[in-house]
Amino acid sequence: MDSLTQIVLGAACGEAVLGKKIGNKALLFGAIGGTIPDLDVLVGGLLYGNEIDAMLFHRGFMHSILFSVLAAFLLGIGVHKLYDFGKRKNTTTKNNWISLFFWSLFTHPILDAFTPYGTQLFTPFSNYRVALNNIAVADPAYTLPFLICIIVVMFFKRSSSKRSLWLKLGIGISSAYLLFTLGNKLYVDSIFRKSLKDAEIGAVRFSTQPAILNNILWYAIAETKSAYYVADYSLLDTKNRFLNFTKIQKQRDLTPSEYDDVKRLSWFSNQYYSIYKLNDNEYQYNDLRYPLLDLKNPNTSVFSLSLYKENNRLNMKPFEPKFDDMDNVFKSLWIRVKGI
């Protein structure tokens, strides 16, 4: 999920563990813990000179269960030593701090696992990417009510029962919404199966996910032996079917046998991808798990990478979303969400 959502969730974990003992400072430390896994974006940039390596490092080890455990112990012991002196002596324990950091760290990748991007929970033992695809990486309906409740918590004394009430309300509303999105996912999957059958598309597999910022409009991709088929569907459409199928050829101007980087990128995209040659040294990599800006143009993927050859392997230019006119993008999204 986006950084704000992870900060809110981390703050809630901090409040749940230490709010009664240290008040609003628990929110702060929880928010810090909830932010730490996403620092792998910075760490990857420092560790690797190749942009592909740095990108694939994100949501890897620092989003794993093992990292949550190890970091919780190190941070918990360290922060307790810094905090436990003077007037604060013996007001908290090592276990309190270890618990605070574990839950704020652990819930971060767990929430990320519900998004299409997914996360490698079992690194370094497995590179399996857990992605349930039921909620967008940014969804105000999940974040805003939760954020409001956490802000309200801050205005009550740590001993107030209302503080606990608002915390439970925030966690309850966000959790209920997450369950709602899981129900939507199951429903949309069933609709897509029926749509493929109606369109006589013999898919060997498919994937569905919500569009950004909502859980009403959904995007889907199906794979056949020779091509992909993409379409979208709003829960507010008059017909409960994906109707606007677009065929995308399996364009592979670079192959995994030529470059191991292509193999790694295809793993990242769960094999839903295309590669177009731009010139002798540059290629466009389209991650087809994500929607097309123009369903009639297979080369307008929201998540596309500019690749180039460098030192017997591939590198990429820093990722830049293809949103030249943000107002028009959001306007088009809103129009499509309202259904056809």
Side-chain angles (χ1 to χ4, degrees), residues 127-188:
N127 69 347
Y128 177 73
R129 184 179 290 269
V130 182
L132 299 181
N133 292 19
N134 60 285
I135 191 169
V137 293
D139 189 333
Y142 178 91
T143 306
L144 291 181
F146 203 173
L147 173 62
I148 291 170
C149 289
I150 293 303
I151 290 175
V152 172
V153 165
M154 298 170 61
F155 289 93
F156 293 103
K157 294 181 179 180
R158 65 187 184 187
S159 58
S160 173
S161 60
K162 291 183 179 179
R163 193 177 178 105
S164 177
L165 175 64
W166 279 96
L167 173 65
K168 291 177 181 177
L169 186 62
I171 294 175
I173 293 174
S174 60
S175 298
Y177 181 74
L178 199 58
L179 289 174
F180 165 76
T181 65
L182 284 169
N184 273 354
K185 167 69 174 173
L186 294 174
Y187 172 73
V188 170

Side-chain angles (χ1 to χ4, degrees), residues 211-214 217 328-337:
I212 194 71
L213 302 177
N214 77 105
L217 178 62
N328 188 52
V329 169
F330 286 123
K331 181 180 179 181
S332 298
L333 176 66
W334 173 242
I335 291 173
R336 186 63 190 91
V337 167

Side-chain angles (χ1 to χ4, degrees), residues 53 170 312 338:
D53 294 336
N312 297 319
K338 292 191 293 184

Side-chain angles (χ1 to χ4, degrees), residues 224-288:
T224 67
K225 292 182 179 180
S226 61
Y228 298 111
Y229 290 84
V230 299
D232 59 21
Y233 166 71
S234 171
L235 297 179
L236 301 179
D237 283 349
T238 54
K239 295 183 179 180
N240 60 341
R241 289 289 187 276
F242 288 80
L243 298 175
N244 54 342
F245 281 100
T246 298
K247 184 178 180 179
I248 301 177
Q249 296 296 337
K250 290 186 176 179
Q251 186 77 17
R252 306 285 167 79
D253 290 340
L254 287 175
T255 64
S257 61
E258 295 177 275
Y259 290 95
D260 189 60
D261 293 308
V262 174
K263 181 179 179 180
R264 297 168 67 220
L265 285 171
S266 65
W267 161 84
F268 171 75
S269 303
N270 196 21
Q271 309 302 322
Y272 293 109
Y273 73 100
S274 63
I275 303 179
Y276 290 82
K277 185 176 182 178
L278 303 179
N279 55 52
D280 289 341
N281 193 54
E282 294 184 312
Y283 298 80
Q284 179 168 317
Y285 180 96
N286 298 318
D287 188 332
L288 299 176

Side-chain angles (χ1 to χ4, degrees), residues 52-71:
I52 295 176
D53 294 336
M55 182 189 73
L56 296 180
F57 183 75
H58 179 46
R59 294 204 184 180
F61 177 67
M62 288 181 66
H63 279 69
S64 69
I65 296 172
L66 180 61
F67 177 82
S68 298
V69 174
L70 296 177

